[in-house]
Amino acid sequence: MADKVISEVKARETIKVTLDVDEIPKKWYNIVADIPGGLPPALHPGTKEPLKPSEWEAIFPKGLIRQELSTERFIDVPDEVREALARIGRPTPLYRASRLEKALGTPARIYYKREDLSPTGSHKPNTAIAQAYFNFIEGVDHLTTETGAGQWGSALSSAAAYFGMKCTVFMVKSSYDQKPYRKYVMKLYGADVYASPSDRTEFGRKTLEKDPCCAGSLGIAISEAIELAVNSPNTKYSLGSVLNHVMLHQTVIGQEAQKQLAMIDEKPDKMIACVGGGSNFAGFTFPFIYEKLKGKNDARFIAVEPESVPSLTGIKSGRSRYDYDFGDTAGMTPLLKMYTLGHDFMPDPIHAGGLRYHGMAPTVSALYDKGIIDAEALPQDETFVAGELFTRTEGIIPAPESCHAIASAIRHARECKRLNKEEVIVFNLSGHGLLDLQNYATMLGM
């Protein structure tokens, strides 16, 4: 009884939980080692046979390929990467959302992990730094990529500049038009940025011939980035989500959160994050899922996606399927077993550009298929209203993507109020919305 009282006092008094720089994780956690039944392999698009390591080398460096295919549970984080993570503000703090709780009148205790504090404003540098490093040490001098909302493109542009590399970014046209300041950020870091579909690649030109007004998609932008990579000397492609090595790099988030919650004697009942390709959700929850699989917690893990892009929740209505599909529109990538709306899916130009991807990471998909994680789909207007409430109570303007996690946390906190039930709800604040103000103005009628 005394221990329970002490824990409640600690939780009540908490505003911010921090870690020292030397507590940046020294190993990444690889959930592939623990997925029941294993992870379905990536397949060669032609032979439909499991892809050999050498067949990945056209687009990725060997170091990342080894991580992509690894079944080891823990993989060392190089000292150079840990130093770079320290320079961008890791470890990040965990905050108690006490003012939001008060506004909701809920008995739930709400916490959020602040991934919005990196120089480019999101969780994306956690993998951008690692990917740039492994390319750099193998002598690659040019990286290509795609970006939806611009967070990933900004992060990779920054990481490429850190290691003295060139970067080319294909930005989904609807976001390119909606979020002009993101492209200025990338250009300040020295990157070349093109609206996708573009006239810079054969696939881009063919797409524009069919539809000159095409708003673009992440699948199209990926196709363009890969085409440029395979046709350019000493160039590799970098991906901001979906693949295993990206999920791996993001687990620094969840490992830090584990330590922080333990410091205040809290155990999460619900862990919530938005999902597009799945990287911030994976990084936030996978270390806790590892604990749950070992019987050390009983948390519920909730992936939140837009109603208009329901790659996970769409399975119930037949809009999506769990099957092998291409990661890009042109069909240039390996085939991945994932929840997918179809690689030719054209999303609505919603304001949460980072959540417009047609498929879900194979690791996240496998966990959802086995019932280890849950998923929700929320309408765009509700998420912006949630972002406005969060801004006015907690003082932080969240990214439209992160607003999905906030809206879900608010829903669950209100349910706690209805049931007069205490719960610990923890969500990942994956990015800030300081470059998304026009979207807020449009949605909220400002």
Side-chain angles (χ1 to χ4, degrees), residues 306-422:
E307 278 188 348
S308 61
V309 194
S311 58
L312 292 173
T313 57
I315 196 74
K316 298 171 184 176
S317 62
R319 289 186 65 186
S320 68
R321 66 185 191 276
Y322 185 42
D323 200 359
Y324 275 98
D325 195 11
F326 293 104
D328 72 315
T329 303
M332 299 174 67
T333 66
L335 290 162
L336 304 173
K337 183 90 180 273
M338 60 184 177
Y339 282 87
T340 177
L341 294 157
H343 65 277
D344 56 355
F345 172 76
M346 285 299 296
D348 294 335
I350 59 171
H351 295 292
L355 306 186
R356 289 197 288 243
Y357 188 56
H358 69 270
M360 188 55 60
T363 47
V364 175
S365 294
L367 293 170
Y368 185 63
D369 179 61
K370 296 177 187 304
I372 295 170
I373 66 171
D374 296 322
E376 298 174 350
L378 299 185
Q380 181 172 233
D381 55 353
E382 179 182 346
T383 66
F384 274 91
V385 170
E388 181 181 30
L389 177 59
F390 187 76
T391 300
R392 294 184 180 185
T393 54
E394 295 297 312
I396 302 164
I397 301 174
E401 294 79 12
S402 305
C403 288
H404 289 69
I406 295 168
S408 176
I410 289 172
R411 278 192 178 188
H412 289 280
R414 284 177 169 152
E415 181 67 4
C416 287
K417 179 181 180 180
R418 187 182 72 81
L419 299 173
N420 193 26
K421 178 183 180 182
E422 288 190 20

Side-chain angles (χ1 to χ4, degrees), residues 59-60 144-148 152 168-173 194-198 201 203-204 207 216-230 236-243 276-277 326-334 336 338 343 354 356-360:
I59 54 176
F60 295 125
T144 69
T145 197
E146 75 295 326
T147 194
W152 167 241
T168 300
V169 181
F170 292 91
M171 187 174 185
V172 175
K173 187 178 186 300
Y194 302 107
S196 174
S198 76
T201 66
F203 183 70
T207 302
S217 70
L218 277 167
I220 293 171
I222 291 170
S223 296
E224 292 205 83
I226 290 176
E227 181 183 326
L228 181 62
V230 298
K236 298 290 184 183
Y237 166 69
S238 287
L239 184 65
S241 193
V242 179
L243 291 179
F326 293 104
D328 72 315
T329 303
M332 299 174 67
T333 66
L336 304 173
M338 60 184 177
H343 65 277
R356 289 197 288 243
Y357 188 56
H358 69 270
M360 188 55 60

